[in-house]
Amino acid sequence: MIKTMKRLLDRKKLTFLASLTFVASVSCANAQEAVQSKVLASNLKHPWGMAFLPDGDILLTERNFGSIRRFSFDTGLSNPIKNVPESVSVNQGGMLGLTIDPAFTENQTIYFCYVKKGNGGHSSNVAKAKLVNDSLADVKTIFTAKPLLNNGYHFGCRLGFDDDGNLFITLGDRNKYRKEAQSTDDHFGTIVRIHPDGSVPSDNPFVDGKAPEVYSYGHRNVQGLVVHPETRVLWAMEHGPRGGDEVNIIESGNNYGWPVITYGTEYSGRKITDITEKEGMEQPVLYWTPSIAPSGMAFYHGDKFPDWQGDLLVGSLKFRHLRRVKMNGDVPGEEIEYLKDLNERIRDVIIGPDGLIYVLTDEARGKLIQISPSS
Protein backbone atom coordinates (compact mmCIF):
# COMPACT_ATOMS: atom_id res chain seq x y z
CA MET A 1 0.00 0.00 0.00
CA ILE A 2 1.19 3.48 -0.83
CA LYS A 3 0.84 5.84 2.11
CA THR A 4 1.23 9.58 2.32
CA MET A 5 2.16 11.71 5.29
CA LYS A 6 0.42 15.08 5.04
CA ARG A 7 1.47 18.10 7.03
CA LEU A 8 1.28 21.83 6.90
CA LEU A 9 4.26 24.11 6.49
CA ASP A 10 4.52 27.55 8.07
CA ARG A 11 6.23 29.28 5.15
CA LYS A 12 7.42 32.21 7.21
CA LYS A 13 9.12 30.16 9.92
CA LEU A 14 9.68 27.00 7.84
CA THR A 15 8.65 24.82 10.78
CA PHE A 16 6.23 21.93 10.90
CA LEU A 17 3.08 21.89 12.96
CA ALA A 18 3.23 18.32 14.18
CA SER A 19 -0.29 18.40 15.59
CA LEU A 20 -1.66 18.79 12.07
CA THR A 21 0.16 15.77 10.64
CA PHE A 22 -2.04 12.89 9.51
CA VAL A 23 -1.93 9.81 7.30
CA ALA A 24 -4.06 8.99 4.27
CA SER A 25 -4.01 6.05 1.87
CA VAL A 26 -4.06 6.52 -1.90
CA SER A 27 -3.54 4.23 -4.86
CA CYS A 28 -1.85 4.71 -8.21
CA ALA A 29 -4.16 5.44 -11.09
CA ASN A 30 -4.49 2.59 -13.58
CA ALA A 31 -5.29 4.79 -16.52
CA GLN A 32 -2.27 6.57 -17.97
CA GLU A 33 -2.40 10.06 -19.36
CA ALA A 34 -0.96 10.20 -22.85
CA VAL A 35 2.66 11.26 -23.19
CA GLN A 36 5.18 10.53 -25.89
CA SER A 37 8.85 9.74 -25.46
CA LYS A 38 11.84 10.22 -27.75
CA VAL A 39 15.22 8.57 -27.29
CA LEU A 40 17.91 11.25 -27.66
CA ALA A 41 20.93 9.07 -26.87
CA SER A 42 21.47 5.37 -26.21
CA ASN A 43 24.20 2.87 -25.35
CA LEU A 44 25.13 4.88 -22.27
CA LYS A 45 27.00 2.95 -19.54
CA HIS A 46 24.62 3.19 -16.58
CA PRO A 47 23.94 6.95 -16.82
CA TRP A 48 23.34 8.45 -13.39
CA GLY A 49 23.00 12.25 -13.25
CA MET A 50 22.45 15.17 -15.60
CA ALA A 51 22.08 18.94 -15.78
CA PHE A 52 21.24 21.48 -18.46
CA LEU A 53 23.82 24.01 -19.55
CA PRO A 54 22.74 27.58 -20.39
CA ASP A 55 23.20 26.92 -24.11
CA GLY A 56 20.65 24.09 -23.97
CA ASP A 57 23.13 21.20 -24.03
CA ILE A 58 22.90 18.46 -21.39
CA LEU A 59 25.80 17.23 -19.27
CA LEU A 60 25.43 13.66 -18.04
CA THR A 61 27.47 11.10 -16.14
CA GLU A 62 28.06 7.40 -16.79
CA ARG A 63 28.48 5.61 -13.48
CA ASN A 64 30.32 2.47 -14.58
CA PHE A 65 32.37 4.11 -17.31
CA GLY A 66 33.42 6.95 -14.99
CA SER A 67 32.76 9.57 -17.62
CA ILE A 68 31.03 12.90 -18.14
CA ARG A 69 29.54 13.49 -21.57
CA ARG A 70 27.74 16.30 -23.34
CA PHE A 71 24.60 15.95 -25.41
CA SER A 72 23.82 18.56 -28.07
CA PHE A 73 20.47 18.70 -29.84
CA ASP A 74 22.42 19.69 -32.96
CA THR A 75 25.33 17.24 -32.95
CA GLY A 76 24.25 14.47 -30.57
CA LEU A 77 26.32 12.77 -27.88
CA SER A 78 29.95 13.77 -27.44
CA ASN A 79 32.90 11.55 -26.66
CA PRO A 80 33.77 11.42 -22.96
CA ILE A 81 35.00 14.78 -21.72
CA LYS A 82 38.76 14.78 -21.12
CA ASN A 83 40.62 15.25 -17.84
CA VAL A 84 37.83 13.80 -15.69
CA PRO A 85 39.28 12.33 -12.45
CA GLU A 86 39.34 8.55 -12.11
CA SER A 87 36.42 7.11 -10.14
CA VAL A 88 36.01 3.75 -8.44
CA SER A 89 33.25 1.67 -10.04
CA VAL A 90 32.52 -0.60 -7.10
CA ASN A 91 28.97 -1.91 -6.59
CA GLN A 92 26.93 1.36 -6.39
CA GLY A 93 30.00 3.56 -6.82
CA GLY A 94 31.41 5.39 -9.82
CA MET A 95 30.75 8.75 -11.45
CA LEU A 96 27.45 9.89 -9.95
CA GLY A 97 25.72 13.27 -9.52
CA LEU A 98 26.57 16.62 -11.07
CA THR A 99 25.33 20.19 -11.20
CA ILE A 100 26.45 23.49 -12.69
CA ASP A 101 27.42 26.69 -10.94
CA PRO A 102 24.58 29.25 -10.72
CA ALA A 103 26.99 31.66 -12.43
CA PHE A 104 28.10 29.15 -15.08
CA THR A 105 27.78 31.70 -17.89
CA GLU A 106 30.50 33.75 -16.22
CA ASN A 107 32.73 31.05 -14.72
CA GLN A 108 32.05 27.84 -16.75
CA THR A 109 32.23 25.83 -13.51
CA ILE A 110 30.64 22.45 -12.88
CA TYR A 111 30.53 20.25 -9.76
CA PHE A 112 30.42 16.48 -9.71
CA CYS A 113 30.30 13.75 -7.06
CA TYR A 114 32.12 10.49 -7.58
CA VAL A 115 33.57 7.61 -5.59
CA LYS A 116 37.30 8.10 -5.09
CA LYS A 117 39.87 5.78 -3.54
CA GLY A 118 42.01 7.14 -0.72
CA ASN A 119 44.03 5.99 2.26
CA GLY A 120 41.94 3.46 4.16
CA GLY A 121 39.19 2.98 1.60
CA HIS A 122 37.00 5.06 -0.67
CA SER A 123 34.30 7.65 -0.25
CA SER A 124 32.01 10.18 -1.90
CA ASN A 125 34.18 12.96 -3.29
CA VAL A 126 33.03 16.28 -4.76
CA ALA A 127 35.16 18.22 -7.22
CA LYS A 128 34.73 21.45 -9.15
CA ALA A 129 36.21 22.24 -12.54
CA LYS A 130 35.93 24.56 -15.51
CA LEU A 131 34.31 23.09 -18.60
CA VAL A 132 36.44 24.23 -21.53
CA ASN A 133 35.23 22.83 -24.86
CA ASP A 134 35.66 19.04 -24.56
CA SER A 135 37.86 19.04 -21.45
CA LEU A 136 37.92 19.91 -17.75
CA ALA A 137 40.43 22.42 -16.39
CA ASP A 138 41.40 23.51 -12.87
CA VAL A 139 39.95 20.37 -11.30
CA LYS A 140 39.86 20.75 -7.52
CA THR A 141 38.44 18.55 -4.75
CA ILE A 142 36.24 20.61 -2.43
CA PHE A 143 34.73 17.89 -0.21
CA THR A 144 35.42 14.30 0.82
CA ALA A 145 32.98 12.38 2.99
CA LYS A 146 34.66 10.90 6.06
CA PRO A 147 35.61 8.41 7.23
CA LEU A 148 36.74 6.37 4.22
CA LEU A 149 35.63 2.73 4.05
CA ASN A 150 36.10 -0.36 1.92
CA ASN A 151 32.38 -0.59 1.27
CA GLY A 152 30.56 -0.12 -2.04
CA TYR A 153 27.07 0.95 -0.99
CA HIS A 154 24.96 4.01 -0.17
CA PHE A 155 27.10 6.88 -1.43
CA GLY A 156 24.30 9.45 -1.90
CA CYS A 157 25.91 11.98 -4.27
CA ARG A 158 23.06 14.21 -5.41
CA LEU A 159 24.07 17.87 -5.63
CA GLY A 160 22.14 21.14 -5.63
CA PHE A 161 22.51 24.87 -4.97
CA ASP A 162 20.24 27.08 -2.90
CA ASP A 163 19.46 30.72 -3.64
CA ASP A 164 22.35 31.87 -1.43
CA GLY A 165 24.86 29.97 -3.55
CA ASN A 166 25.47 27.21 -1.01
CA LEU A 167 26.10 23.71 -2.32
CA PHE A 168 24.19 20.77 -0.80
CA ILE A 169 25.57 17.22 -1.06
CA THR A 170 23.64 14.09 -0.11
CA LEU A 171 25.49 11.22 1.57
CA GLY A 172 24.40 7.70 2.47
CA ASP A 173 24.90 5.63 5.60
CA ARG A 174 27.25 3.23 3.75
CA ASN A 175 24.87 0.37 4.52
CA LYS A 176 26.59 -1.38 7.43
CA TYR A 177 27.09 1.87 9.33
CA ARG A 178 23.45 2.87 9.68
CA LYS A 179 23.71 3.69 13.39
CA GLU A 180 26.15 6.46 12.51
CA ALA A 181 23.31 8.26 10.70
CA GLN A 182 22.25 9.42 14.18
CA SER A 183 25.63 11.05 14.81
CA THR A 184 26.72 14.50 13.66
CA ASP A 185 30.40 13.67 14.24
CA ASP A 186 30.87 12.17 10.76
CA HIS A 187 29.21 12.29 7.35
CA PHE A 188 27.31 8.99 7.37
CA GLY A 189 23.61 9.43 6.50
CA THR A 190 23.70 13.21 6.22
CA ILE A 191 23.08 16.10 3.87
CA VAL A 192 25.96 18.55 4.04
CA ARG A 193 26.15 22.22 3.07
CA ILE A 194 29.32 23.98 1.95
CA HIS A 195 30.37 27.07 0.03
CA PRO A 196 31.45 26.45 -3.59
CA ASP A 197 35.10 26.63 -2.52
CA GLY A 198 34.58 23.89 0.08
CA SER A 199 34.53 26.15 3.13
CA VAL A 200 31.81 25.80 5.76
CA PRO A 201 28.99 28.37 6.11
CA SER A 202 29.17 30.03 9.51
CA ASP A 203 25.48 29.36 10.19
CA ASN A 204 25.62 25.59 9.65
CA PRO A 205 23.87 23.91 12.61
CA PHE A 206 26.86 21.86 13.78
CA VAL A 207 29.61 24.27 12.78
CA ASP A 208 31.45 23.75 16.09
CA GLY A 209 31.35 19.95 15.87
CA LYS A 210 33.60 17.28 14.35
CA ALA A 211 31.73 17.39 11.02
CA PRO A 212 30.83 21.08 10.58
CA GLU A 213 29.56 20.50 7.04
CA VAL A 214 26.50 18.56 8.30
CA TYR A 215 23.19 20.31 7.63
CA SER A 216 20.70 17.49 8.40
CA TYR A 217 21.07 13.87 9.53
CA GLY A 218 19.21 10.62 10.14
CA HIS A 219 19.11 9.77 6.42
CA ARG A 220 19.61 6.33 4.83
CA ASN A 221 20.63 7.04 1.23
CA VAL A 222 19.33 10.25 -0.35
CA GLN A 223 18.91 9.81 -4.12
CA GLY A 224 16.92 12.94 -4.93
CA LEU A 225 17.52 16.60 -4.06
CA VAL A 226 15.80 19.72 -5.35
CA VAL A 227 14.98 23.28 -4.35
CA HIS A 228 11.27 23.79 -5.00
CA PRO A 229 10.90 26.15 -7.99
CA GLU A 230 8.22 28.24 -6.28
CA THR A 231 8.68 28.05 -2.51
CA ARG A 232 12.52 27.73 -2.73
CA VAL A 233 12.39 25.16 0.07
CA LEU A 234 14.85 22.24 -0.04
CA TRP A 235 13.33 18.79 -0.61
CA ALA A 236 15.05 15.39 -0.59
CA MET A 237 14.09 11.80 -1.32
CA GLU A 238 15.77 8.69 0.08
CA HIS A 239 15.76 4.94 -0.31
CA GLY A 240 14.24 2.93 2.47
CA PRO A 241 15.19 -0.72 2.95
CA ARG A 242 12.23 -3.02 2.24
CA GLY A 243 9.66 -0.23 2.20
CA GLY A 244 9.94 3.13 3.83
CA ASP A 245 11.23 5.24 0.92
CA GLU A 246 10.79 8.85 2.02
CA VAL A 247 10.24 12.33 0.62
CA ASN A 248 11.20 15.03 3.12
CA ILE A 249 11.37 18.79 3.43
CA ILE A 250 14.88 19.50 4.67
CA GLU A 251 15.59 22.04 7.39
CA SER A 252 18.79 23.02 9.13
CA GLY A 253 19.75 20.76 12.04
CA ASN A 254 16.79 18.39 11.75
CA ASN A 255 16.97 14.67 12.45
CA TYR A 256 15.07 12.51 9.91
CA GLY A 257 15.07 9.42 12.08
CA TRP A 258 16.97 6.63 10.34
CA PRO A 259 17.38 3.97 11.69
CA VAL A 260 15.60 4.75 14.96
CA ILE A 261 12.29 5.28 13.18
CA THR A 262 11.31 3.93 9.77
CA TYR A 263 8.32 2.60 7.82
CA GLY A 264 10.52 -0.10 6.29
CA THR A 265 11.88 -3.49 7.32
CA GLU A 266 15.06 -5.41 6.58
CA TYR A 267 15.26 -7.03 3.14
CA SER A 268 14.83 -10.34 4.97
CA GLY A 269 11.53 -9.09 6.40
CA ARG A 270 12.92 -8.78 9.92
CA LYS A 271 11.99 -5.67 11.87
CA ILE A 272 14.45 -2.81 12.09
CA THR A 273 12.51 -1.01 14.79
CA ASP A 274 9.06 -1.12 16.37
CA ILE A 275 8.49 2.63 16.10
CA THR A 276 7.71 4.94 13.22
CA GLU A 277 7.54 8.20 15.18
CA LYS A 278 9.61 9.78 17.91
CA GLU A 279 9.82 13.24 19.40
CA GLY A 280 12.62 15.25 17.88
CA MET A 281 12.59 13.25 14.63
CA GLU A 282 10.87 14.43 11.47
CA GLN A 283 8.03 12.63 9.74
CA PRO A 284 8.15 12.32 5.93
CA VAL A 285 5.81 14.26 3.69
CA LEU A 286 5.39 11.05 1.69
CA TYR A 287 6.58 7.46 2.03
CA TRP A 288 6.23 4.30 -0.02
CA THR A 289 5.63 0.81 1.35
CA PRO A 290 6.46 -1.39 -0.49
CA SER A 291 9.55 0.40 -1.73
CA ILE A 292 9.62 1.76 -5.28
CA ALA A 293 13.41 2.42 -5.06
CA PRO A 294 13.06 6.11 -6.04
CA SER A 295 15.86 7.98 -7.79
CA GLY A 296 15.92 11.44 -9.31
CA MET A 297 13.48 14.11 -8.24
CA ALA A 298 11.94 17.20 -9.83
CA PHE A 299 8.93 19.44 -9.36
CA TYR A 300 7.30 20.22 -12.68
CA HIS A 301 7.47 23.85 -13.79
CA GLY A 302 6.97 24.80 -17.39
CA ASP A 303 4.34 25.42 -20.03
CA LYS A 304 4.23 22.07 -21.85
CA PHE A 305 2.23 20.23 -19.16
CA PRO A 306 0.03 23.01 -17.71
CA ASP A 307 -1.98 20.62 -15.52
CA TRP A 308 1.20 19.32 -13.89
CA GLN A 309 2.39 22.56 -12.30
CA GLY A 310 4.01 21.85 -8.94
CA ASP A 311 3.61 18.08 -9.25
CA LEU A 312 6.45 15.85 -8.06
CA LEU A 313 8.22 13.60 -10.57
CA VAL A 314 10.39 10.68 -9.41
CA GLY A 315 12.00 7.72 -11.12
CA SER A 316 11.39 4.17 -9.90
CA LEU A 317 14.28 1.75 -10.21
CA LYS A 318 12.38 -1.23 -8.83
CA PHE A 319 9.15 -0.91 -10.81
CA ARG A 320 10.75 0.71 -13.88
CA HIS A 321 8.58 3.73 -14.44
CA LEU A 322 8.41 7.49 -14.05
CA ARG A 323 5.99 8.43 -11.30
CA ARG A 324 4.04 11.67 -11.03
CA VAL A 325 2.67 12.64 -7.63
CA LYS A 326 -0.07 15.24 -7.85
CA MET A 327 0.64 17.94 -5.29
CA ASN A 328 -1.65 20.41 -3.59
CA GLY A 329 1.00 22.73 -2.24
CA ASP A 330 3.04 20.46 0.03
CA VAL A 331 0.31 17.80 0.28
CA PRO A 332 0.71 14.73 -1.97
CA GLY A 333 -2.25 13.08 -3.65
CA GLU A 334 -2.90 10.74 -6.57
CA GLU A 335 0.07 8.99 -8.17
CA ILE A 336 0.33 8.15 -11.88
CA GLU A 337 2.90 5.94 -13.63
CA TYR A 338 4.50 6.57 -17.03
CA LEU A 339 7.03 4.80 -19.31
CA LYS A 340 6.09 1.37 -17.94
CA ASP A 341 6.28 -0.15 -21.43
CA LEU A 342 9.89 0.96 -21.66
CA ASN A 343 10.75 -1.52 -18.88
CA GLU A 344 13.94 0.27 -17.84
CA ARG A 345 15.15 1.58 -14.48
CA ILE A 346 14.62 5.34 -14.25
CA ARG A 347 17.65 6.86 -12.53
CA ASP A 348 17.24 10.62 -12.95
CA VAL A 349 14.61 13.14 -14.01
CA ILE A 350 14.91 16.87 -14.70
CA ILE A 351 12.79 19.59 -16.29
CA GLY A 352 14.30 21.23 -19.34
CA PRO A 353 14.26 24.97 -20.09
CA ASP A 354 11.85 24.06 -22.89
CA GLY A 355 9.31 22.75 -20.35
CA LEU A 356 9.79 19.15 -21.46
CA ILE A 357 10.84 16.31 -19.15
CA TYR A 358 14.13 14.42 -19.47
CA VAL A 359 15.01 11.07 -17.88
CA LEU A 360 18.00 8.74 -17.75
CA THR A 361 17.58 4.97 -17.68
CA ASP A 362 20.09 3.10 -15.54
CA GLU A 363 20.98 0.18 -17.79
CA ALA A 364 24.11 -1.28 -19.38
CA ARG A 365 22.80 0.37 -22.55
CA GLY A 366 21.08 3.27 -20.88
CA LYS A 367 19.16 6.03 -22.59
CA LEU A 368 18.55 9.76 -22.43
CA ILE A 369 14.85 10.26 -23.13
CA GLN A 370 12.75 13.36 -23.79
CA ILE A 371 9.10 13.28 -22.67
CA SER A 372 6.48 15.55 -24.24
CA PRO A 373 2.69 15.71 -24.32
CA SER A 374 1.04 13.33 -26.75
CA SER A 375 -0.03 15.24 -29.85
Side-chain angles (χ1 to χ4, degrees):
M1 181 180 292
I2 300 166
K3 300 181 180 179
T4 60
M5 302 297 301
K6 299 182 180 180
R7 56 184 175 176
L8 301 179
L9 178 68
D10 181 335
R11 298 191 182 280
K12 293 183 180 180
K13 296 181 180 179
L14 297 180
T15 57
F16 292 113
L17 304 180
S19 62
L20 296 180
T21 300
F22 62 98
V23 179
S25 297
V26 298
S27 60
C28 287
N30 291 322
Q32 292 206 20
E33 298 179 18
V35 300
Q36 59 185 6
S37 61
K38 177 181 179 182
V39 176
L40 302 179
S42 57
N43 292 323
L44 296 165
K45 303 295 189 294
H46 291 281
W48 206 93
M50 58 179 164
F52 268 90
L53 295 171
D55 65 2
D57 287 359
I58 300 172
L59 280 186
L60 58 89
T61 61
E62 292 177 295
R63 174 174 58 86
N64 282 21
F65 203 54
S67 67
I68 299 175
R69 302 179 76 173
R70 184 171 187 155
F71 173 82
S72 167
F73 287 87
D74 294 327
T75 59
L77 189 67
S78 75
N79 291 322
I81 289 171
K82 300 174 184 176
N83 201 32
V84 173
E86 182 179 357
S87 60
V88 177
S89 179
V90 51
N91 295 314
Q92 297 172 353
M95 186 62 64
L96 302 176
L98 85 167
T99 192
I100 68 169
D101 194 284
F104 179 88
T105 303
E106 290 75 36
N107 61 28
Q108 292 77 54
T109 299
I110 69 169
Y111 302 78
F112 50 97
C113 186
Y114 64 105
V115 176
K116 180 180 180 180
K117 188 171 181 61
N119 293 329
H122 41 264
S123 185
S124 302
N125 191 82
V126 177
K128 63 184 296 186
K130 290 185 180 296
L131 179 63
V132 182
N133 298 320
D134 63 349
S135 182
L136 297 184
D138 302 328
V139 180
K140 178 184 178 182
T141 294
I142 59 172
F143 175 80
T144 299
K146 297 178 181 178
L148 277 64
L149 300 168
N150 286 312
N151 174 303
Y153 298 96
H154 298 188
F155 292 103
C157 267
R158 291 294 180 192
L159 307 176
F161 279 96
D162 66 12
D163 291 343
D164 295 323
N166 296 309
L167 178 63
F168 289 90
I169 306 162
T170 74
L171 302 166
D173 66 358
R174 300 301 298 275
N175 192 26
K176 294 182 180 180
Y177 299 86
R178 61 176 60 168
K179 291 182 179 179
E180 289 298 308
Q182 283 298 306
S183 171
T184 58
D185 290 338
D186 54 45
H187 297 129
F188 293 121
T190 66
I191 296 175
V192 304
R193 181 178 70 159
I194 60 175
H195 290 309
D197 63 359
S199 62
V200 178
S202 60
D203 60 345
N204 268 12
F206 308 105
V207 70
D208 295 325
K210 295 180 180 179
E213 302 90 351
V214 172
Y215 187 78
S216 64
Y217 64 109
H219 302 289
R220 184 172 181 266
N221 188 22
V222 177
Q223 296 288 283
L225 184 76
V226 65
V227 173
H228 195 286
E230 295 181 357
T231 66
R232 313 310 297 168
V233 171
L234 184 68
W235 291 64
M237 179 181 65
E238 63 188 85
H239 281 217
R242 185 177 177 182
D245 303 327
E246 295 183 1
V247 176
N248 290 293
I249 296 176
I250 304 301
E251 297 183 34
S252 176
N254 280 4
N255 180 353
Y256 290 83
W258 175 256
V260 177
I261 61 173
T262 180
Y263 289 90
T265 63
E266 300 284 9
Y267 292 113
S268 65
R270 182 173 59 86
K271 285 185 178 181
I272 296 171
T273 174
D274 289 324
I275 60 174
T276 57
E277 298 182 36
K278 186 174 182 179
E279 185 176 357
M281 297 181 179
E282 300 301 310
Q283 282 291 302
V285 175
L286 166 67
Y287 70 90
W288 287 286
T289 296
S291 173
I292 69 168
S295 186
M297 177 181 188
F299 287 99
Y300 184 77
H301 60 285
D303 58 2
K304 297 300 189 298
F305 295 88
D307 294 336
W308 294 24
Q309 291 296 326
D311 288 353
L312 176 63
L313 300 175
V314 302
S316 171
L317 298 169
K318 180 178 180 180
F319 293 117
R320 297 171 174 258
H321 62 250
L322 176 67
R323 181 170 296 210
R324 170 185 162 216
V325 182
K326 293 184 178 182
M327 300 292 293
N328 181 10
D330 300 321
V331 179
E334 181 185 16
E335 304 187 7
I336 305 170
E337 300 169 2
Y338 304 90
L339 305 185
K340 294 178 70 174
D341 293 342
L342 184 65
N343 193 30
E344 295 192 24
R345 289 157 49 92
I346 306 299
R347 174 59 73 178
D348 200 13
V349 54
I350 60 175
I351 312 303
D354 54 7
L356 299 178
I357 299 163
Y358 295 80
V359 301
L360 292 175
T361 67
D362 186 358
E363 303 287 340
R365 295 182 176 181
K367 299 179 178 68
L368 168 64
I369 298 175
Q370 179 192 72
I371 301 172
S372 58
S374 180
S375 56

